[in-house]
Amino acid sequence: MEQQPELSADVPRAWDRPIVSVPILTFLSLVGGQLPSFSPQANLYTIGTGGALVWLGLSNRMPRRTVPQRLGSGAVWWVLPVMIFGVFEAGTFMLGSRDDFPTFSKIADPLLDDSLIRSAVYFAWLSAFWGLVRR
């Protein structure tokens, strides 16, 4: 009887290869970029796309990548600005996004009016999220 090779983390499946995943993420970001910014359709599309990526990442359909046991000491310097941004964004959201004290989303609105820029930002978000989900 022939033995079939076991699937290991070193052998990526088809959708885990950049030649497959980049065009798929590009297509998804081009579709998402055509939706109006912060609209119900865009929110549903984002939740649906994110949910599909989470489902793929949590299912046993793809090999898991190794995760470091402990974060390095340099990770604190990445967590600190993220926490400051989170506190600032939460504070401005709770106080109400006004012109004199806007949230980051309100500041980004003029940039996100262009569908090409919105697609590029959406692609960056999908790529980062896909990288996190594959762990």
Side-chain angles (χ1 to χ4, degrees), residues 108-131:
D109 268 346
L111 291 173
L112 296 176
D113 281 342
D114 183 25
S115 62
L116 185 62
I117 293 174
R118 195 168 44 245
S119 293
V121 170
Y122 204 83
F123 179 78
W125 176 79
L126 281 175
S127 299
F129 193 66
W130 182 242

Side-chain angles (χ1 to χ4, degrees), residues 23 39 42 67 75-76 90 100 107 115 129 131 133:
S39 67
V67 179
V76 172
D100 56 339
I107 294 170
S115 62
F129 193 66
V133 163

